[in-house]
Amino acid sequence: MADSIFSKIIRGEIPCLKVYEDEKVFSFLDINPIAPGHTLVIPKEPAETLDQLSDESAAALGKILPLLCRAVMKATGTRQYNILQNNGKGAHQAVAHVHFHIIPKPNSTEGLGIQWPTRPLPQEQGQEILAKIRDAIAGTVI
Ligand code: AMP
């Protein structure tokens, strides 16, 4: 697995503004924030995308993420925010190490802007993809 810039940050080889650290999770301020308080939360495990992450790291991230959201919102005085988690270059992932963005949304100009090209789900298409997803879940050991 490639050694990303985030692994170097975890090891202290590259400086960062550290927000939090425990045995499995590390968090620091984004170097190019799109809103004040823009924070990254990453597993220490060097998985590239969320689907590749171990259950242990996923559990640790899931446990701490709400606490860090509360801290960032309290510190910025913001009540609204987005969690962004990109997987793959085509999905805007620039750093190949799993990371969650906590992005405060203080107003309409700062924070995350979203394009949401909705269209109604045709019944047949819904049933088809639903069956495939359920089959994939059934084939996975949980
Ligand atoms: P993504 O497009 O989801 O892969 O986001 C990667 C994020 O990492 C961007 O928001 C970058 O600003 C941020 N980033 C890249 N290098 C650093 C760094 N050395 N310290 C803090 N944040 C970084």
Side-chain angles (χ1 to χ4, degrees), residues 55-128:
D55 291 350
E56 292 74 22
S57 290
L61 276 169
K63 185 175 179 196
I64 204 65
L65 199 50
L67 181 152
L68 294 176
C69 290
R70 287 192 288 273
V72 171
M73 293 318 116
K74 186 172 182 186
T76 57
T78 312
R79 296 186 63 181
Q80 303 185 96
Y81 62 99
N82 295 95
I83 299 297
L84 179 67
Q85 203 279 311
N86 299 325
N87 296 279
K89 280 187 185 158
H92 307 285
Q93 182 179 13
V95 179
H97 184 128
V98 170
H99 51 283
F100 288 78
H101 299 254
I102 301 175
I103 309 171
K105 186 69 180 167
N107 53 55
S108 60
T109 54
E110 293 180 292
L112 191 65
I114 298 179
Q115 282 186 346
W116 200 264
T118 62
R119 49 195 174 132
L121 176 64
Q123 183 68 14
E124 199 177 310
Q125 194 182 314
Q127 292 297 343
E128 191 182 329

Side-chain angles (χ1 to χ4, degrees), residues 29-52:
L29 294 184
D30 195 295
I31 203 166
N32 288 312
I34 60 172
H38 183 166
T39 298
L40 299 176
V41 186
I42 68 177
K44 288 186 173 175
E45 180 185 335
E48 289 190 13
T49 55
L50 191 59
D51 51 282
Q52 296 170 3

